[in-house]
Amino acid sequence: MTAAGSGLLAPHVTLLDRTRLDADALYFVSYDGLVNNNSFQKNGLLTYRGHQYAAWYTATREAVVARREPGRSDWSAVTLPHRLKSDDSHNVISMGVSAADGRLHLNLDSHSDGFFYVKSVAGLLDDPASTPWTPSVFGAVQTTLDGLALTDRFTYPQFVATPEGGLQLGYRVGVSGDGRNALAEYDGSRWTALGEWTSSTGTYTTTHGSSTARNMYLHGIDYDTGGRLHAFFTWREQNAAVMRDGGGLTNHDTGYVHSADRGRTWLNDAGTVVGTTGGAKTVAVTDAGLVVDPLGPDHALMNQESQWIDSTGLPHAIISYVPGRRTTDYVADRTAHGRAFHLRKNPAGSWEKTEIPVALGSSQRTRLVLDRHDNAYAVLPHGRIAGASRATGHTDWRLLYDGGGLDAFGEVVVDEPRVRADNVLSFMYQERSSGTTPSALHVIDFGLPA
């Protein structure tokens, strides 16, 4: 299948497999999401050297990590010596890989408080067939990174592999509406704190009022093939006076920064330095040149949506909000009127935005991936998949898979490395339930254009 007149393969998905991780996974709705399927997890599901790894909490609250071999439908699970401490969907499990020593790292169970950390023995991921998959391959649960204490107000762990084979951990220091983003780095032998790189101070003013505290919510943090680090974001204000009406979200604007030195120095889109990690000047709401898509706080703009960097190093993001009307109840308004948009930088250096013509029908987030041809795919709430072709400049969005039969609650967790390595769109989802009744947790796989 090719895009008309282009000779390029058009976006499409082919269902390959669906497997069940857990018949009765932990289920409770908190902050309108599930702890096992918050799409901002980086990573709740990942593939490395052909093996796929998944992490979740069981009905009895134990933290579990499982793996499967290439082509296999059965998963082998290991229970870690940790139980989820509270019914808070922010307390996700995120995994990362340090290629330098072949370790699997897990950060779990934190929301504006301390975190828990586990890492495997060295070489586990390099030669999984010869290393027994048992609890003994994981070290003790720690409340530091091998002795490195970061903050007692820790949230949103995001692991990202460095081009050198190390691993970085992005996280928020502080609380919603008054927090800063920070980085730590693992070089294959030890963790180092690089410091904070965003500011929570400065004055943001609308026609309704002002706010002097906020936090930057990342859509992601990702390296391109040339080693540049990219991050889209939104700001969340502490003071609701910036909105005309209550009940919405104080999120505003979509911004973008990048770093050419592994996250030490941050530049705006024009290439001007706007912050230094661990330095006196960090990225602030008052800095010029950060906003690439302006939007006020009265439209229920979602934080922590998603991003992807294409094969040429150009950044893409999904953002979602309620267009053309003021919101007073972000859950109801997003569910009834919310739309997702594809925001991207074109080869000429300009920013373009296209509405995805599929109703959200949910207050929740959408995941973005690009295939090897740079076609774009949006995994919408409830496991629906829309696609747009590179040949048209990503303007021909259409529904490719309607999610029929999944009964997925809302957000999904995408295996980003598997898209790049295997040309397979694989995501984890949980079936809808009610109250705190456990429900089945699955992984579903779709082939992408060869």
Side-chain angles (χ1 to χ4, degrees):
M1 181 187 299
T2 60
S6 70
L8 299 174
L9 288 177
H12 63 271
V13 296
T14 303
L15 179 61
L16 301 176
D17 192 19
R18 182 171 67 156
T19 62
R20 191 173 68 186
L21 289 167
D22 191 333
D24 297 294
L26 184 64
Y27 187 100
F28 58 84
V29 179
S30 160
Y31 298 94
D32 308 304
L34 303 180
V35 71
N36 287 330
N37 274 271
N38 258 316
S39 71
F40 55 74
Q41 288 174 253
K42 194 172 179 77
N43 299 275
L45 183 70
L46 67 82
T47 292
Y48 184 75
R49 294 200 170 185
H51 280 67
Q52 190 173 36
Y53 301 83
W56 71 94
Y57 296 104
T58 69
T60 50
R61 311 179 76 84
E62 280 92 2
V64 168
V65 58
R67 73 177 183 187
R68 65 171 171 174
E69 299 175 20
R72 297 289 297 270
S73 294
D74 55 312
W75 294 79
S76 178
V78 166
T79 301
L80 301 174
H82 180 80
R83 300 184 70 191
L84 180 69
K85 64 184 183 232
S86 62
D87 284 355
D88 186 332
S89 67
H90 291 76
N91 293 31
V92 299
I93 304 174
S94 293
M95 298 183 290
V97 172
S98 52
D101 59 359
R103 294 184 194 268
L104 181 67
H105 304 251
L106 297 94
N107 190 294
L108 60 162
D109 203 356
S110 64
H111 183 198
S112 301
D113 53 11
F115 63 85
F116 299 88
Y117 169 68
V118 181
K119 70 177 183 181
S120 76
V121 297
L124 172 68
L125 304 186
D126 295 329
D127 189 12
S130 63
T131 306
W133 184 248
T134 65
S136 64
V137 302
F138 292 94
V141 177
Q142 306 177 50
T143 54
T144 65
L145 299 178
D146 295 335
L148 176 65
L150 297 177
T151 173
D152 60 1
R153 291 290 183 266
F154 180 102
T155 316
Y156 302 127
Q158 293 194 59
F159 286 112
V160 58
T162 66
E164 295 78 20
L167 186 66
Q168 291 178 322
L169 175 64
Y171 58 97
R172 186 186 73 191
V173 179
V175 298
S176 175
D178 190 8
R180 287 87 57 206
N181 290 328
L183 281 172
E185 187 172 75
Y186 179 76
D187 63 3
S189 61
R190 63 188 292 266
W191 283 98
T192 303
L194 302 183
E196 298 175 8
W197 62 274
T198 72
S199 171
S200 59
T201 61
T203 300
Y204 170 76
T205 301
T206 71
T207 57
H208 311 300
S210 296
S211 176
T212 58
R214 70 207 41 84
N215 70 278
M216 176 194 284
Y217 274 121
L218 294 179
H219 284 16
I221 183 167
D222 296 280
Y223 282 99
D224 63 26
T225 56
R228 177 175 290 193
L229 191 60
H230 302 256
F232 284 92
F233 63 87
T234 60
W235 295 107
R236 173 172 290 180
E237 298 301 321
Q238 184 183 71
N239 191 350
V242 298
M243 296 187 294
R244 177 171 173 174
D245 301 297
L249 289 172
T250 58
N251 299 344
H252 62 91
D253 297 319
T254 299
Y256 167 78
V257 290
H258 63 272
S259 172
D261 59 0
R262 306 298 187 263
R264 272 67 173 177
T265 306
W266 294 92
L267 299 86
N268 66 15
D269 187 38
T272 302
V273 175
V274 288
T276 302
T277 300
K281 171 64 181 75
T282 52
V283 183
V285 73
T286 51
D287 289 329
L290 297 182
V291 175
V292 296
D293 190 66
L295 187 70
D298 283 315
H299 297 280
L301 175 68
M302 181 50 67
N303 48 281
Q304 298 162 285
E305 201 102 31
S306 61
Q307 65 176 41
W308 199 273
I309 314 304
D310 72 21
S311 64
T312 68
L314 293 175
H316 299 241
I318 292 290
I319 63 175
S320 65
Y321 57 90
V322 176
R325 65 172 63 212
R326 189 175 72 251
T327 60
T328 57
D329 181 325
Y330 86 90
V331 173
D333 291 338
R334 282 179 56 85
T335 302
H337 308 291
R339 292 293 187 274
F341 298 81
H342 177 207
L343 178 65
R344 63 207 177 277
K345 191 173 187 179
N346 66 28
S350 300
W351 291 93
E352 299 179 350
K353 184 172 72 172
T354 302
E355 180 176 339
I356 299 174
V358 181
L360 286 181
S362 169
S363 65
Q364 296 184 289
R365 299 171 179 89
T366 295
R367 294 298 304 175
L368 173 68
V369 304
L370 270 66
D371 67 19
R372 60 181 53 171
H373 309 286
D374 285 334
N375 296 315
Y377 301 81
V379 188
L380 296 145
H382 313 305
R384 298 164 296 162
I385 304 172
S389 64
R390 174 190 174 188
T392 67
H394 305 102
T395 58
D396 59 342
W397 282 96
R398 61 188 179 87
L399 192 64
L400 304 176
Y401 177 74
D402 67 4
L406 299 186
D407 198 26
F409 168 80
E411 294 180 12
V412 304
V413 174
V414 171
D415 185 338
E416 297 178 359
R418 194 173 183 196
V419 175
R420 297 183 175 97
D422 300 336
N423 205 39
V424 171
L425 172 56
S426 184
F427 63 81
M428 181 167 65
Y429 71 92
Q430 191 160 354
E431 292 183 17
R432 279 184 281 199
S433 186
S434 60
T436 57
T437 302
S439 67
L441 185 68
H442 303 273
V443 172
I444 190 167
D445 305 325
F446 298 88
L448 299 174

